[in-house]
């Protein structure tokens, strides 16, 4: 299978910046997603990277390096409501369709 | 425009019973994906369906699990003779285009508890 690895938990202070890293297997890889999931709720789309580089969207940015099999999600000016799990997911081709393979998620706790 | 709807939100079944989970995609979406999220685990792809067709069921357990997406009505994920290990959150997602998981929108999930 395609392993997606990310840290299990992180803690950061309100107003600070936090970077959540993700590594993935490059074979069959087509793109990298980040989702936010609050406890008991559906994942919501944050970003999708296909090309190398940084994509900025407000307080959230996502970076991809295809050669290194590496991505990160950067959250700036952290707010309490950013406490959630952040899911890294790779888009892989195979078996006649594209599939999303998710990591286990990084549980981010924002503290005052 | 209503989002992806799933029902029930919570389902309790005893071992050996059947569980039926329903997913109504967003309006205009004809592609549905089912995922399972076990406690402390990531979302795992189960099956990808279009109307009246199963496109990819490579993530579906070979026994007891089946899925359909009829011409009319919601997509159904059916689990026969449930066991405790089936307890999980089941999410469906829909997309408007063929082979476009990059445009998936997730439903709120059904939390299945097997007692």
């Amino acid at each position: 299978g395609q392993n997606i690895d990310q840290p299990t938990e992180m803690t950061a202070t309100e107003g600070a910046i936090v970077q959540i890293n993700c590594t993935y297997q490059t074979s069959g890889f087509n793109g990298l997603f980040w989702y936010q999931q609050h406890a008991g709720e559906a994942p919501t789309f944050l970003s999708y990277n296909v090309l190398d580089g940084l994509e900025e969207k407000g307080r959230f940015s996502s970076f991809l390096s295809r050669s290194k099999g590496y991505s990160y999600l950067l959250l700036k000016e952290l707010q309490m409501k950013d406490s959630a799990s952040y899911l890294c997911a790779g888009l892989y081709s195979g078996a006649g369709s594209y599939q999303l393979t998710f990591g286990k998620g990084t549980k981010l706790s924002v503290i005052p | 425009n209503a989002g992806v709807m799933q029902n029930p939100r919570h389902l309790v079944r005893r071992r050996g019973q059947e569980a039926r989970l329903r997913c109504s995609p967003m309006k205009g979406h004809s592609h549905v994906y089912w995922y399972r999220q076990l406690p402390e685990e990531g979302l795992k792809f189960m099956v990808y369906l279009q109307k009246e067709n199963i496109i990819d069921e490579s993530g579906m357990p070979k026994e007891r699990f089946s899925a359909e997406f009829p011409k009319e009505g919601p997509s159904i994920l059916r689990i026969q003779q449930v066991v405790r290990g089936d307890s999980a959150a089941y999410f469906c997602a829909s997309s408007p285009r063929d082979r476009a998981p990059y445009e998936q929108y997730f439903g709120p999930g059904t939390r299945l508890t097997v007692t």
Side-chain angles (χ1 to χ4, degrees):
Chain A
Q2 295 92 2
N3 288 335
I4 307 285
D5 292 312
Q6 53 183 129
T8 305
E9 293 184 45
M10 297 182 74
T11 302
T13 307
E14 192 176 12
I17 299 173
V18 71
Q19 178 174 313
I20 303 174
N21 296 325
C22 172
T23 58
Y24 61 88
Q25 288 189 291
T26 56
S27 176
F29 175 80
N30 288 274
L32 198 289
F33 287 81
W34 284 96
Y35 285 85
Q36 181 190 61
Q37 186 179 26
H38 285 99
E41 296 184 11
T44 54
F45 171 83
L46 290 178
S47 67
Y48 175 50
N49 292 65
V50 177
L51 302 175
D52 284 357
L54 188 67
E55 300 253 352
E56 296 187 70
K57 196 184 292 184
R59 294 189 299 114
F60 291 10
S61 303
S62 56
F63 172 84
L64 180 68
S65 169
R66 294 183 71 118
S67 61
K68 294 181 180 176
Y70 168 70
S71 172
Y72 67 73
L73 179 70
L74 194 70
L75 293 78
K76 302 176 189 174
E77 301 168 15
L78 279 172
Q79 301 175 9
M80 299 300 289
K81 67 178 182 179
D82 297 330
S83 293
S85 284
Y86 291 85
L87 313 181
C88 174
L91 182 66
Y92 289 90
S93 53
S97 76
Y98 290 98
Q99 288 184 20
L100 277 177
T101 299
F102 284 83
K104 293 184 179 182
T106 298
K107 187 177 178 182
L108 174 66
S109 299
V110 180
I111 58 175
Chain B
N1 189 10
V4 179
M5 312 279 283
Q6 287 188 251
N7 69 81
R9 295 292 307 276
H10 299 273
L11 182 62
V12 179
R13 284 286 177 267
R14 285 196 294 273
R15 277 181 297 170
Q17 291 185 318
E18 179 180 285
R20 280 187 177 233
L21 289 63
R22 294 173 188 77
C23 169
S24 296
M26 284 181 72
K27 189 176 179 182
H29 288 194
S30 58
H31 304 267
V32 166
Y33 304 78
W34 284 95
Y35 295 86
R36 177 165 65 174
Q37 188 173 37
L38 293 165
E40 309 303 323
E41 294 288 325
L43 282 158
K44 295 274 195 270
F45 167 80
M46 297 181 77
V47 62
Y48 165 37
L49 308 106
Q50 296 175 21
K51 287 278 187 182
E52 300 184 281
N53 278 313
I54 297 174
I55 305 302
D56 182 353
E57 56 181 348
S58 57
M60 194 89 105
K62 294 287 184 280
E63 296 178 352
R64 303 188 297 108
F65 284 73
S66 62
E68 62 176 12
F69 189 15
K71 189 176 178 181
E72 302 290 338
S75 175
I76 308 279
L77 179 68
R78 184 178 173 214
I79 311 172
Q80 295 178 287
Q81 299 174 333
V82 295
V83 301
R84 288 227 171 96
D86 297 332
S87 295
Y90 292 83
F91 290 94
C92 93
S94 72
S95 68
R97 262 177 283 281
D98 187 23
R99 293 175 173 78
Y102 39 85
E103 294 183 76
Q104 288 185 48
Y105 296 84
F106 282 84
T110 294
R111 274 143 191 88
L112 172 66
T113 302
V114 179
T115 60

